[in-house]
Amino acid sequence: MSDRTLVLLKPDAVERGLVGAILSRFEAKGLKIVALDLRQLDADTLSRHYEEHVGKGFYDDLVAFMSRGPVVALVLEGPEDTWEVVRTMMGATNPRSAAPGTIRGDLGILFTENLVHGSDSLASAEREINIFFPKL
Ligand code: IDP
Ligand code: MG
């Protein structure tokens, strides 16, 4: 059995030259990269991806941030519960309170600019992989 999840390395991770460091963590954990692409996201893609956040107070800032430069979109595969493994490695949404040892806890300090996205359930993973890599 294997399952997959969607990860985005956000524009701050690309700008700060942290793509390699973050990908290394996932590879060292034993997760396999099965798709990978550097791409610029537009407002339409972001509204599909973040559909549960459209209209919230932070949404416009989130879209401005997520479209200010390219992201690295990838799909990771592991033996089971891959989305949950990745979420544990990412840490809490606000890097200020994310635990040391997590990606956000070790590398981030700002709320919106929290380096990495990971699907929050198996259903979200399937939905998001279909948005970013529909042929997979
Ligand atoms: P998650 O990325 O940990 O799943 P979500 O609640 O799904 O967190 O929020 C999506 C993204 O929106 C966050 O990663 C962060 O970049 C941004 N965000 C969420 N809540 C806030 C907030 O209260 N202030 C500023 N940015 C936020
Ligand atoms: Mg989320």
Side-chain angles (χ1 to χ4, degrees), residues 20-115:
I22 296 171
L23 290 180
S24 287
R25 289 180 179 233
F26 292 131
E27 291 188 309
K29 181 70 173 173
L31 298 172
K32 187 177 166 193
I33 298 168
V34 297
L36 180 95
D37 189 36
L38 180 80
R39 68 174 76 161
Q40 177 72 42
L41 301 184
D42 58 28
D44 180 57
T45 302
L46 284 164
S47 69
R48 288 177 68 204
H49 174 65
Y50 280 129
E51 65 178 9
E52 83 265 35
H53 297 310
V54 173
K56 290 187 183 170
F58 61 84
Y59 185 72
D60 289 348
D61 285 346
L62 179 61
V63 171
F65 162 54
M66 289 295 293
S67 57
R68 81 178 181 207
V71 305
V72 174
L74 63 145
V75 176
L76 289 175
E77 184 177 283
E80 60 185 323
D81 299 327
T82 307
W83 69 270
E84 201 165 20
V85 172
V86 168
R87 295 283 296 191
T88 300
M89 293 177 72
M90 285 164 50
T93 302
N94 189 342
R96 197 149 47 83
S97 48
T102 66
I103 293 163
R104 289 164 168 171
D106 287 349
L107 304 175
I109 194 76
L110 299 174
F111 198 162
T112 302
E113 303 197 13
N114 57 6
L115 297 155

